[in-house]
Amino acid sequence: LLSLNSMSKYFKKLLSIIYEDEDIVVVEKPATILSIPDRFDTDLPNVYNILQSSFKIEVFPVHRLDRDTSGIILFAKNKEAHAHLCKQFEERTVNKNYFALVQGNNLPAQGIIEDRIGLDKNKAGRMKIDPNGKNAFTEYHLLDTLDKFSAVSVKIKTGRTHQIRVHFSSIGYPLAIDPLYGNPNGIYLSSFKSRYNQSKKKEERPIMNRLTLHAAKLSIVHPKKLDQIEFSSELPKDFAVLIKLLKKYGNISIS
């Protein structure tokens, strides 16, 4: 078993703090780690607990990312900053941009999806398009068509649970990997590289096997300085490698 000190060092390696001052801390969240403690299993690794216990930073959650979504997440460091930031999210003055890889290669160059989203009572943990649900606004721009996929830049005004995942699935372009709303399997090089030769000794591993969604940019008004600041996050290694290989071996059309 790992000692508490070893566990602390391990969790510190998982997170990358990209900005910190006396009011806020901005972190690059890796996929598979929760934003805040799980309601049923508080021992599951989450950014909130890691900041508090391993980095010794008292924080106040402002927003969340899905567990399998990587990228930028923001925490306040005092109650005043927390109130100011929460108001920005409530009033939808925060700019949130994501990079997503979706299935399909005939996506229009740009579009807006405004269908309401509600809880899917027939399937645990899922959301659905629901006329009686909460309003949701998603805007996207096509970046590249990569083989049978589309790379898109996504901007959301609202922050509904699974919003991007539900909205793109509803128009027939679910995320390239999404166990809830689309393909539950990983993406393999053999699926798009012609003349792929599989080693007889090793089983092929997926290039990427988690949600193809990354929180790439976040822009807020600083709670004390009151100036507009933007934070950005590069694609994590697995996602970057997938895009690189799709560009190299897939059939590409750049918009």
Side-chain angles (χ1 to χ4, degrees):
L1 292 175
L2 291 174
S3 66
L4 289 175
N5 187 50
S6 296
M7 288 179 65
S8 180
K9 289 181 179 179
Y10 168 73
F11 284 127
K12 272 191 171 183
K13 288 181 180 180
L14 289 180
L15 294 187
S16 174
I17 294 177
I18 59 176
Y19 179 82
E20 182 184 5
D21 61 26
E22 61 183 8
D23 297 295
I24 63 175
V25 57
V26 183
V27 176
E28 285 187 305
K29 186 187 88 64
T32 74
I33 292 184
L34 294 165
S35 298
I36 60 174
D38 183 80
R39 285 183 298 171
F40 306 105
D41 187 352
T42 55
D43 290 331
L44 289 174
N46 62 86
V47 179
Y48 175 82
N49 280 351
I50 293 171
L51 288 174
Q52 299 257 121
S53 61
S54 297
F55 287 88
K56 307 301 181 185
I57 304 172
E58 183 179 12
V59 292
F60 300 81
V62 177
H63 66 126
R64 296 182 232 174
L65 296 177
D66 291 345
R67 183 178 66 177
D68 289 331
T69 300
S70 56
I72 293 176
I73 184 167
L74 164 76
F75 289 84
K77 291 179 65 177
N78 54 65
K79 292 181 179 179
E80 293 76 16
H82 181 251
H84 194 284
L85 292 167
C86 284
K87 185 178 181 182
Q88 292 183 53
F89 276 87
E90 289 169 6
E91 295 180 349
R92 301 174 189 171
T93 58
V94 176
N95 291 319
K96 296 173 283 185
N97 292 83
Y98 293 76
F99 177 89
L101 187 72
V102 301
Q103 292 183 43
N105 52 18
N106 291 305
L107 188 68
Q110 58 188 24
I112 293 173
I113 312 168
E114 293 187 86
D115 293 318
R116 290 175 173 266
I117 294 175
L119 184 66
D120 189 340
K121 297 179 181 178
N122 296 317
K123 297 180 180 179
R126 277 179 52 117
M127 307 299 287
K128 68 175 183 177
I129 299 298
D130 182 353
N132 298 314
K134 295 180 179 179
N135 67 305
F137 182 97
T138 301
E139 182 179 2
Y140 76 84
H141 293 272
L142 178 66
L143 299 174
D144 297 313
T145 297
L146 305 171
D147 201 74
K148 57 188 175 185
F149 306 109
S150 296
V152 290
S153 174
V154 185
K155 182 177 181 179
I156 60 174
K157 280 290 184 184
T158 49
R160 307 306 177 199
T161 301
H162 299 174
Q163 177 175 321
I164 294 173
R165 301 163 69 182
V166 173
H167 269 174
F168 275 93
S169 178
S170 74
I171 63 171
Y173 290 84
L175 294 184
I177 306 173
D178 190 336
L180 279 181
Y181 304 100
N183 170 36
N185 304 310
I187 299 175
Y188 295 80
L189 183 60
S190 60
S191 67
F192 59 86
K193 181 184 178 183
S194 60
R195 300 177 183 175
Y196 175 80
N197 294 317
Q198 170 61 39
S199 170
K200 294 181 179 179
K201 296 181 180 180
K202 295 181 180 180
E203 182 180 352
E204 184 185 6
R205 287 183 165 188
I207 304 166
M208 186 171 174
N209 60 358
R210 55 93 173 175
L211 214 61
T212 50
L213 185 62
H214 179 71
K217 291 182 180 180
L218 180 68
S219 177
I220 62 164
V221 172
H222 191 279
K224 185 172 290 182
K225 301 174 184 176
L226 301 180
D227 55 344
Q228 191 83 23
I229 49 176
E230 181 178 274
F231 306 100
S232 60
S233 170
E234 297 293 328
L235 287 178
K237 185 177 179 180
D238 59 346
F239 213 159
V241 168
L242 174 60
I243 297 301
K244 181 179 179 180
L245 291 173
L246 281 168
K247 288 183 176 182
K248 184 175 181 179
Y249 296 114
N251 296 312
I252 307 169
S253 173
I254 300 177
S255 59

